[in-house]
């Protein structure tokens, strides 16, 4: 019995991490669109890596940015998977905004990695906020799609 519970726990966390990584991909696409609009300078994930890996090569910084940002998104996706109750798109928006505010207004300034988000240019603030909304909505949608898929499969199994 305990083994089944452990497997279910691990499976839930891994599904959440996969959903979070996929949501980070959607967020990255939003960043690319905002970059094309000229709304962004250096993306904060890149600023963070430059701060943490000074003197590293461009290649190393690029790879570290992608890996760390995707990993961070996967981490939050795993956490989201364990939140209780049925969630909605609105909940996904709130979750994305909470990540944005918690990291860019509190954690990163406290660690002296970057200034708070509210100190950025208005277009950069808008891009960051909207990209985190994309993350939260995509995360929730992926979870909902997979839950519906599981429900459909279990209905046909009965």
């Amino acid at each position: 019995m305990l083994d089944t519970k452990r497997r279910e726990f691990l499976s839930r966390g891994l599904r959440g991490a996969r959903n979070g990584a996929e949501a980070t991909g959607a967020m990255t696409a939003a960043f690319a669109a905002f970059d094309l609009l000229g709304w962004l300078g250096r993306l904060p994930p890149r600023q963070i890596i430059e701060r943490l890996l000074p003197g590293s090569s461009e290649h190393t910084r690029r790879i570290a940015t992608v890996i760390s940002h995707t990993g961070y998104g996967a981490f939050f996706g795993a956490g989201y998977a364990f939140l209780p109750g049925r969630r909605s798109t609105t909940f996904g928006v709130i979750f994305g905004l909470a990540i944005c505010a918690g990291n860019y207004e509190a954690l990163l300034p406290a660690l002296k990695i970057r200034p708070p988000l509210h100190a950025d240019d208005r277009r950069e603030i808008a891009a960051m906020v909207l990209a985190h909304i994309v993350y939260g909505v995509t995360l929730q949608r992926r979870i909902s799609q997979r839950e519906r898929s599981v429900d459909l499969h279990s209905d046909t199994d009965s």
Side-chain angles (χ1 to χ4, degrees), residues 10 20 22 24 29 36 40 43 46 48 60 64-65 76 78 90 99 104 117 120 122-123 129 131-132 139 151-152 157:
L10 182 59
E22 290 172 2
T24 303
L36 287 174
L40 294 171
L43 289 174
R46 178 57 181 256
I48 294 164
T60 298
T65 299
F76 278 104
T90 302
I99 292 170
Y104 292 102
L117 183 62
D120 287 349
R122 286 180 298 149
R123 291 179 302 174
V129 168
H132 282 84
L139 179 61
D151 289 344
L152 289 174
D157 291 342

Side-chain angles (χ1 to χ4, degrees), residues 38-151:
W39 288 17
L40 294 171
R42 279 182 2 262
L43 289 174
R46 178 57 181 256
Q47 293 172 3
I48 294 164
I49 291 302
E50 288 173 354
R51 178 91 167 139
L52 295 176
L53 300 175
S56 58
S57 71
E58 172 62 24
H59 180 72
T60 298
R61 287 192 307 267
R62 187 175 294 133
I63 290 171
T65 299
V66 170
I67 291 171
S68 64
H69 196 235
T70 304
Y72 208 65
F75 171 79
F76 278 104
Y80 189 86
F82 290 102
L83 295 175
R86 288 289 221 198
R87 293 167 300 277
S88 65
T89 300
T90 302
F91 191 86
V93 168
I94 293 166
F95 188 77
L97 291 173
I99 292 170
C100 185
N103 284 302
Y104 292 102
E105 286 295 320
L107 179 65
L108 296 170
L111 295 174
K112 307 243 186 281
I113 292 175
R114 75 176 309 277
L117 183 62
H118 70 265
D120 287 349
D121 173 86
R122 286 180 298 149
R123 291 179 302 174
E124 288 191 27
I125 295 169
M128 289 297 292
V129 168
L130 291 170
H132 282 84
I133 289 172
V134 166
Y135 173 84
V137 168
T138 304
L139 179 61
Q140 177 54 42
R141 292 244 167 124
R142 297 302 296 154
I143 288 171
S144 294
Q145 288 169 348
R146 289 196 167 105
E147 285 174 353
R148 279 194 304 275
S149 175
V150 167
D151 289 344

Side-chain angles (χ1 to χ4, degrees), residues 1-8:
M1 183 69 159
L2 191 58
D3 262 70
T4 300
K5 286 189 180 213
R6 282 186 191 161
R7 272 196 306 273
E8 288 172 4

